[in-house]
Amino acid sequence: MGTIIELQNVGFIAEKQDIIKNLSCQFEEGKASALIGPSGAGKSTILKLAAGLLVPTQGAVYLRHEDISLMNHERMLNFRRQAAVVFQDSALWANQSLYQNMELPLRIHFPQMPKRERDQRINEVLAEAGYQKDLMMRPAKLSMGEQKLIAFARAMVCRPVLIFLDEWIESLDENAVQRLINIAKMHKDAGHTIIFVSHDFRVVKYLADYVFIIIGGVLTMKLTGAQLTSDMALAQYIEKGIVS
Ligand SMILES: Nc1ncnc2c1ncn2[C@@H]1O[C@H](COP(=O)(O)OP(=O)(O)OP(=O)(O)O)[C@@H](O)[C@H]1O
Ligand SMILES: [Mg+2]
């Protein structure tokens, strides 16, 4: 299907430190791409750059060949409507109830949607994610794992076709992990694009069509998922040396 997101010579400097260094890569539409690498390598930063949430200090990020930083408000809103991000720290709105957290993306992107339909959508994605408790609480009352479920469900509520997942299954129980992996797989099978970060090598092997290895803010290696599943020695080297 071709490239959906491209980073061209992207650098990112924060507090005078080179976090990302002259990184170029392309993410393919309809495929799952994994970013893997040691802690502090720059994976979350790359994900946020690719999602247009951070602006590179050098180079540019393109969505279907359009420079994201040059998009007007309407184009940006259109991009945001199609895309969803699950942040590593969940990033739920602390001063809003869980219900309000779930509802706000629908209110922004589908202002005409009747409340009944909003509620139906919210219930649907929560059931898929496996969250069944009270929605009137604030996020701080939830465990980290429960916050992850809500963050994931919130990301799915607008039915995204471009999905950014930052360690979205880490710290969940095995059943929840399976559920969220299955949902990601369903999106992939439906032709949606997934760009994800994970330290869980099983998931990388199961889901990723492409694997980008990031070390010290640099794209060190790009592999196909097929290489990881067919080359045991390579897979072991990467799992032991890089992911865990
Ligand atoms: N805004 C910022 N200001 C200063 N330093 C930053 C900023 N953002 C990221 N960094 C630093 O850049 C490095 C990469 O951060 P990033 O969160 O992208 O790593 P990561 O690969 O996602 O790590 P982890 O696997 O632990 O989540 C870290 O050393 C981090 O402290
Ligand atoms: Mg991270």
Side-chain angles (χ1 to χ4, degrees):
M1 284 214 258
T3 301
I4 184 162
I5 299 268
E6 176 168 11
L7 277 66
Q8 230 177 59
N9 304 112
V10 164
F12 186 74
I13 298 172
E15 290 169 22
K16 295 187 185 157
Q17 297 211 31
D18 275 325
I19 313 280
I20 304 300
K21 297 163 197 155
N22 199 32
L23 189 141
S24 295
C25 65
Q26 299 178 336
F27 298 108
E28 225 180 286
E29 185 154 20
K31 302 289 181 192
S33 299
L35 299 169
I36 63 172
S39 295
K43 305 177 298 294
S44 295
T45 306
I46 295 168
L47 203 75
K48 287 178 195 160
L49 287 162
L53 298 171
L54 284 178
V55 181
T57 45
Q58 173 208 312
V61 179
Y62 299 88
L63 170 74
R64 296 193 184 90
H65 309 296
E66 182 180 3
D67 187 334
I68 292 178
S69 69
L70 302 180
M71 282 180 178
N72 64 22
H73 179 69
E74 198 185 328
R75 302 282 306 151
M76 184 54 94
L77 206 59
N78 189 43
F79 172 33
R80 295 261 161 269
R81 193 177 300 120
Q82 300 170 44
V85 184
V86 177
F87 295 93
Q88 185 169 1
D89 61 356
S90 295
L92 298 173
W93 293 295
N95 60 351
Q96 307 275 304
S97 72
L98 300 176
Y99 179 80
Q100 287 168 322
N101 266 272
M102 296 295 302
E103 192 189 32
L104 193 59
L106 289 172
R107 278 184 177 272
I108 292 171
H109 292 301
F110 301 95
Q112 313 297 337
M113 186 182 279
K115 181 174 174 358
R116 186 175 38 80
E117 200 180 328
R118 282 204 304 269
D119 287 351
Q120 203 177 325
R121 283 263 195 120
I122 290 170
N123 290 333
E124 192 181 292
V125 289
L126 285 169
E128 278 170 7
Y131 183 84
Q132 292 159 339
K133 292 195 330 214
D134 181 15
L135 287 183
M136 291 307 142
M137 290 185 286
R138 295 279 168 95
K141 293 252 170 83
L142 301 189
S143 72
M144 286 300 168
E146 288 170 327
Q147 291 189 29
K148 286 220 166 205
L149 293 182
I150 296 286
F152 184 82
R154 179 181 65 173
M156 296 300 130
V157 81
C158 291
R159 299 189 176 152
V161 296
L162 173 52
I163 301 167
F164 300 88
L165 304 169
D166 197 349
E167 303 201 16
W168 83 116
I169 48 156
E170 276 72 6
S171 86
L172 291 176
D173 69 72
E174 194 54 33
N175 286 336
V177 168
Q178 281 310 325
R179 268 199 311 277
L180 299 204
I181 291 172
N182 288 343
I183 298 172
K185 178 72 166 55
M186 271 164 38
H187 275 282
K188 187 175 129 166
D189 292 344
H192 302 163
T193 307
I194 301 175
I195 304 174
F196 73 98
V197 176
S198 182
H199 286 281
D200 188 329
F201 203 57
R202 279 178 316 166
V203 183
V204 174
K205 283 208 284 193
Y206 175 69
L207 206 58
D209 298 297
Y210 299 101
V211 180
F212 296 82
I213 300 178
I214 313 296
I215 300 176
V218 173
L219 172 60
T220 311
M221 204 190 293
K222 180 186 169 186
L223 303 163
T224 63
Q227 278 174 296
L228 280 194
T229 41
S230 64
D231 189 336
M232 290 272 285
L234 176 69
Q236 265 186 9
Y237 167 72
I238 289 171
E239 182 173 12
K240 296 227 159 41
I242 296 164
V243 188
S244 53

